[in-house]
Amino acid sequence: MPWPEPHDHDLFTLIDREVDRQNRTVQLIASENFTSPAVLRATGSVLTNKYSEGYPGKRYYGGNEVIDSVEDLARDRATALFGAEHANVQPHAGANANMAVYLATLEVGDTVLGLRLDQGGHLTHGSPVNASGRLYNFVSYGVTTSDERIDFDQVREAALAHRPKMIVAGATAYSRIIDSRPFRAIADEVGALFMFDAAHIAGLIAGGQHPNPVEQGADIMTFTTHKTLRGPRGGAILCTKALAERIDKAVFPGLQGGPLDHVVAAKAVAFFEAAQPEFKDYAARIVANAAALAESLAGHGLRLVSGGTDNHLVLVDLRSFDADLSGKKARLALDRAGISLNENTVPDDPRPPYITSGLRIGTPAVTTQGMGEAEMATIGALIHRTLVGRDDEHEIAAVRAAVNELCEAFTPYPDA
Ligand code: DSN
């Protein structure tokens, strides 16, 4: 075939640089992970060439006999992994999965309850700058001021006052277990649908570390496949049989065009990997590592929102540590030191979302590369050292050297 020659040096040099960055620096972004070679292989396969609008057995294009089997395999593995009645594996992202659910179940202007952005919720849970907040009447609930955990009194009061058509649970920056049962009970009391956005914790659910919202009565569970679940970038929806047709129609043709078949295949690989016994051990190690990191950070005088963690992330409130240190300033200093994480709002944050007073720190990726509790103590100390020495380039360089040395023993892609 007339493939272009010479090799695209510019682009592939950039990819090589990114492999080097991932190999030599510490990845603590709570929503990131390292996929397996099998997931990478499926993502880079010729399935990217195919068009397959529709669903298995009901396509608008020919030549889909293999793709049908791939998508069936992905759907069957997803339903088996979470004990769901139906799966849609086509959403390109978690945001698309959430928007498809709204499109399937709500009319424009309908009332929905969701966790407020600065309390740990996601943009698609009704933020005014997101389509969810512009199209639907989202009413927010939050966390308590006392223990910074979901305030179920607030959820129930808001539900009784506003009679929502749907209640959305789930979070993007919340470090505690979310019990679906009180949400289910409140939804039943007001006749609302109950959707759980498990984008962050899908891998912890699959690995038996967190309760399964499907088993606890959620009508719908959305999730992403690339965070704790360790698959390719993408989203998925689980639902009851009763909602299946509406959900499928909302994903396609409602919201998206053709599915990304190479990504659907890689999702199937990730579901297979997550069903293996060793994935339970992996999920347990993510949680243990987050607890160890929390202990180290708290030991260095950093305040943790809610006092700690039950999942894969820690949310640090920097205000009591250093009133001048915003989340953004801290993140930029840590970036220079080779530690990647993100600034994040903390509950009732006085700073805007692009500055923030907090840091969100996650352990899925470092756990995948084999780091354990001893390394979490080291990373906690290096984060503290960077925050204190953020204006001293010698200190930053010293931390970066220590990070590089740590990563040498845990290189995620040594053969890349
Ligand atoms: N960007 C994802 C996260 O980091 O949590 C959510 O969209």
Side-chain angles (χ1 to χ4, degrees), residues 239-269:
C239 66
T240 56
K241 270 206 174 73
L243 290 168
E245 194 179 334
R246 279 151 74 191
I247 293 284
D248 283 354
K249 279 190 174 148
V251 174
F252 173 84
L255 195 66
Q256 297 187 163
L260 309 176
D261 294 313
H262 54 307
V263 180
V264 169
K267 288 173 186 173
V269 176

Side-chain angles (χ1 to χ4, degrees), residues 56-252:
K58 285 176 271 174
R59 305 286 188 186
Y60 292 79
Y61 293 80
N64 270 304
E65 58 274 16
V66 176
I67 298 298
D68 278 4
S69 299
V70 168
E71 188 166 345
D72 274 336
L73 196 56
R75 294 198 297 193
D76 291 348
R77 287 177 177 175
T79 51
L81 191 60
F82 296 101
E85 292 179 0
H86 179 72
N88 188 306
V89 294
Q90 293 191 6
H92 302 330
N96 295 39
N98 289 352
M99 291 311 295
V101 170
Y102 304 153
L103 189 63
T105 57
L106 305 172
E107 299 298 327
V108 170
D110 274 350
T111 298
V112 190
L113 293 195
L115 182 61
R116 213 170 81 196
L117 189 65
D118 76 281
Q119 314 269 307
H122 188 247
L123 283 167
T124 56
H125 299 178
S127 163
V129 297
N130 182 263
S132 59
R134 294 177 62 176
L135 295 175
Y136 307 104
N137 174 36
F138 267 84
V139 176
S140 296
Y141 58 86
V143 297
T144 64
T145 44
S146 52
D147 67 1
E148 298 176 307
R149 293 169 195 231
I150 287 168
D151 185 345
F152 283 103
D153 291 339
Q154 237 187 86
V155 179
R156 183 162 180 271
E157 276 160 29
L160 291 173
H162 298 280
R163 314 299 296 188
K165 195 159 172 189
M166 176 183 281
I167 298 180
V168 176
T172 197
Y174 183 75
S175 62
R176 296 298 181 174
I177 282 179
I178 302 177
D179 186 355
S180 289
R181 290 168 300 184
F183 280 110
R184 178 71 270 173
I186 296 167
D188 285 343
E189 201 177 343
V190 299
L193 282 168
F194 170 39
M195 162 182 148
F196 194 108
D197 178 346
H200 269 258
I201 58 166
L204 302 183
I205 296 165
Q209 295 298 304
H210 275 217
N212 183 346
V214 175
E215 286 169 3
Q216 290 190 326
D219 299 297
I220 301 154
M221 181 176 116
T222 59
F223 62 101
T224 58
T225 45
H226 51 277
K227 299 184 174 88
T228 49
L229 200 59
R230 212 166 59 179
R233 299 198 69 84
I237 304 171
L238 304 172
C239 66
T240 56
K241 270 206 174 73
L243 290 168
E245 194 179 334
R246 279 151 74 191
I247 293 284
D248 283 354
K249 279 190 174 148
V251 174
F252 173 84

